[in-house]
Amino acid sequence: MPVNKNSSSTKLTKSKQMTNLWTTVALLALVLFLVVSYKLKDMLKPTVAASTEIDAQCDLRKAACTSELPGGGKVTFSIAPNTIPILRPLKLDVKIEGVEVSNVEVDFTGIGMDMGYNRPVLEPVTKTQFKGKAILPVCVRQKMDWEARVLLQTDRGLLMAPFRFFTLK
């Protein structure tokens, strides 16, 4: 039985075309992934112009805490209920003094354990007060340490005031 050279040549050409097509698709997917990663970088880890120090005396489970902002001003942060339960709605309250703020977010970060992305945007009540809601996820640990990073968008850039607290299972 004779072999048709045109048939095997056509199959080889189609095979090369399919390989080239899949290589192109893979390269486009890689480029898309890199572009999206670059764009999301600032959202996931925003560039902070200045940050306050963590106040070791602050206990959000007892009362609101206040931090002095670099360059002047204050930020006061509270969570209600002050028992800070997990998997239950929490009310967040941020009060600002001495600095004009256009946007407020609270970035909840697990200390020593990645607890995923949890950054609610707070709504303005007045020019100096912002409120919002959040829910903290459950952790495998009995006691979970957290940092609530209050992010303030100002004309001086993004200011951050971190507050530490813990939750119990």
Side-chain angles (χ1 to χ4, degrees):
M1 181 172 192
V3 175
N4 185 346
K5 288 185 179 182
N6 288 338
S7 175
S8 62
S9 174
T10 303
K11 287 180 183 178
L12 188 59
T13 303
K14 285 185 178 183
S15 175
K16 284 183 181 180
Q17 287 175 338
M18 287 303 291
T19 301
N20 288 341
L21 176 66
W22 284 113
T23 302
T24 302
V25 168
L27 286 173
L28 286 173
L30 177 63
V31 168
L32 180 64
F33 172 76
L34 292 173
V35 168
V36 169
S37 296
Y38 179 77
K39 295 289 185 182
L40 288 178
K41 174 184 63 103
D42 284 337
M43 186 181 92
L44 296 175
K45 293 192 179 207
T47 303
V48 176
S51 178
T52 65
E53 295 293 321
I54 294 174
D55 181 1
Q57 304 304 312
C58 164
D59 186 353
L60 287 170
R61 295 172 74 84
K62 290 185 179 176
C65 295
T66 301
S67 284
E68 301 277 334
L69 294 169
K74 293 180 183 179
V75 59
T76 301
F77 177 60
S78 67
I79 300 176
N82 62 355
T83 56
I84 313 177
I86 53 175
L87 297 176
R88 301 273 188 255
L90 302 173
K91 294 178 184 176
L92 311 177
D93 189 24
V94 173
K95 294 177 183 163
I96 312 295
E97 287 180 43
V99 65
E100 197 169 309
V101 174
S102 61
N103 187 50
V104 176
E105 298 178 25
V106 179
D107 186 15
F108 289 99
T109 303
I111 304 297
M113 182 178 286
D114 183 3
M115 296 300 288
Y117 182 82
N118 190 353
R119 188 183 304 159
V121 177
L122 279 57
E123 297 295 324
V125 176
T126 66
K127 285 186 174 186
T128 61
Q129 185 176 19
F130 293 77
K131 291 189 176 202
K133 293 181 180 180
I135 294 177
L136 294 177
V138 70
C139 178
V140 295
R141 298 178 186 166
Q142 182 64 29
K143 179 184 175 192
M144 179 66 193
D145 293 311
W146 293 88
E147 184 170 284
R149 298 172 180 160
V150 178
L151 303 171
L152 309 171
Q153 190 62 55
T154 72
D155 58 354
R156 299 185 290 199
L158 188 64
L159 304 180
M160 181 176 78
F163 299 92
R164 296 267 173 110
F165 65 96
F166 66 90
T167 56
L168 297 171
K169 201 189 293 189

